[in-house]
Amino acid sequence: MELHVIERSANAFQQGLTERQILAVARRAFGPGTEVRSATELGGGMYNTTYRIDLGGREEPVVLRVAPEPDRQFHSEQELMRAEYASVPWLAPIADLMPRVLAADFTQAVIGRDWMIQSFLPGTPAPELLGSYPKETHGAFFRQMGEITASVHAVAGPWFGPVTGPGHARWSEAVVTSLRLISEDVEGCGLDAADLRKAADAAQAGAQVLDEVAVPRLLTGDLWTVNTMLAAAPVPTICGVLDMDRTCWGDPEADWTMRMARAKQDARLAFFDSYGRPEETEAGAWRRHLYEVRHLGALRLERHRLGNEAGVEDSYGAVAEELAALI
């Protein structure tokens, strides 16, 4: 087997597999006689460890995604791969854009970690190709993003919160629980989470405003440019969507995709040409401030995990601005 890895420090969050582990996974998925010709670790993601696997007797490569070890996962991010697997039937509206799940093993009996094998999507990662197109064509990309997001948000679910549960009858319960889990994780890293706890208290106090959201909708979790593949075409054309492991049930306005669509006054505003323009209300604006605190709390954790101390520090000022609009 040819093994190509990304060099990482011994204490890095993402940890690779040995040749023996990769072979064991492949044989668990495809049978004891399976031959692995090569395994190439892929970059781009910051959570799971991902490989392109070329198998003997199979023309098309496959993608192996391996979750972090259970004790390395934050409570607010536990079992994300299992959430993605459970989301597949609900993501039927965009099934033609997504990789197919070929095998999955959550027993942790083979390598002590959850893993999933998916089909290999053609195309080029959008971050590598989008910038090569003239800026006046970028609106086409974001209009497609709006269409994809709208089709996901159109799916109604059984409860608020994680796709795999525990579910909540009210949106306010799901938001408060999420903020408190993030707060606990931040404190577990030795960081101050008082601002996030204030936001959780504000969410509890504003439960009536949150509970105006009465229908749980499927949220993509973190869909944006980094999670898309582009086809070779005259204008940016999305041909694939990846890594839907942060899906949940909630208010579409709480989705990361909506946050990013509003982040700059540029070509991304074309997103709303196809998605539609949500009604602007005082209650909706208040909820968006709260959702932004949740996003910033999750970013604080990610930046800490990556050793980005300046980014962690910046998050406190950003949260303070949002809290000022909440309290």
Side-chain angles (χ1 to χ4, degrees):
M1 178 195 311
E2 292 184 22
L3 178 60
H4 307 278
V5 302
I6 297 173
E7 295 298 330
R8 307 183 190 277
S9 64
N11 61 351
F13 177 74
Q14 290 173 298
Q15 292 294 319
L17 302 182
T18 64
E19 289 187 24
R20 179 175 293 182
Q21 287 176 315
I22 291 172
L23 184 59
V25 165
R27 290 182 172 172
R28 173 83 154 200
F30 301 113
T34 300
E35 174 196 357
V36 178
R37 294 200 300 262
S38 66
T40 303
E41 188 175 352
L42 304 176
M46 293 183 289
Y47 194 76
N48 299 309
T49 304
T50 307
Y51 295 88
R52 169 184 166 142
I53 306 290
D54 290 282
L55 300 170
R58 189 185 185 102
E59 290 186 13
E60 295 293 325
V62 298
V63 172
L64 167 63
R65 297 172 62 214
V66 184
E69 295 174 353
D71 61 1
R72 296 171 68 85
Q73 299 176 26
F74 290 131
H75 294 295
S76 58
E77 294 181 330
Q78 277 195 330
E79 299 180 347
L80 296 183
M81 187 171 288
R82 300 185 188 193
E84 178 172 359
Y85 184 84
S87 300
V88 169
W90 297 102
L91 290 165
I94 60 169
D96 61 319
L97 294 172
M98 295 182 59
R100 289 176 292 110
V101 177
L102 305 177
D105 187 345
F106 302 150
T107 67
Q108 300 179 1
V110 180
I111 56 172
R113 296 158 68 177
D114 289 350
W115 54 265
M116 183 187 300
I117 295 178
Q118 298 173 304
S119 59
F120 189 86
L121 285 183
T124 303
E128 297 178 17
L129 187 59
L130 185 59
S132 67
Y133 286 97
K135 285 195 176 294
E136 59 267 22
T137 68
H138 288 194
F141 172 86
F142 292 109
R143 275 188 289 276
Q144 293 170 77
M145 185 75 80
E147 292 172 2
I148 292 167
T149 305
S151 66
V152 174
H153 288 176
V155 178
W159 56 64
F160 292 103
V163 173
T164 52
H168 301 276
R170 295 181 177 84
W171 177 227
S172 60
E173 295 169 357
V175 173
V176 170
T177 298
S178 177
L179 282 166
R180 287 180 175 161
L181 283 173
I182 294 171
S183 299
E184 290 171 10
D185 286 334
V186 167
E187 290 171 344
C189 294
L191 301 171
D192 183 9
D195 53 352
L196 302 178
R197 291 199 175 277
K198 285 181 182 177
D201 291 342
Q204 186 71 66
Q208 185 174 354
V209 179
L210 287 168
D211 291 337
E212 290 177 4
V213 179
V215 179
R217 298 288 178 177
L218 185 59
L219 311 189
T220 69
D222 69 347
L223 176 64
W224 199 240
T225 54
V226 72
N227 305 111
T228 59
M229 303 289 284
L230 296 183
V235 296
T237 302
I238 297 173
C239 63
V241 174
L242 303 164
D243 300 348
M244 301 288 280
D245 56 3
R246 294 179 186 268
T247 51
C248 64
W249 299 111
D251 178 3
E253 285 291 346
D255 209 347
W256 176 257
T257 315
M258 303 299 285
R259 187 243 197 193
M260 294 303 292
R262 288 192 172 95
K264 293 181 181 179
Q265 300 293 307
D266 58 12
R268 70 185 66 197
L269 292 179
F271 175 96
F272 295 102
D273 293 342
S274 56
Y275 182 88
R277 299 185 183 277
E279 180 184 1
E280 294 295 332
T281 66
E282 184 176 341
W286 186 88
R287 288 192 292 265
R288 283 203 300 273
H289 285 297
L290 188 63
Y291 302 156
E292 179 63 9
V293 173
R294 189 202 173 283
H295 291 317
L296 290 167
L299 285 172
R300 184 179 297 171
L301 285 172
E302 184 173 90
R303 290 167 179 172
H304 174 77
R305 187 162 59 212
L306 296 173
N308 180 359
E309 295 181 8
V312 170
E313 185 61 32
D314 288 345
S315 74
Y316 286 94
V319 169
E321 290 183 17
E322 302 301 325
L323 280 177
L326 287 173
I327 301 173

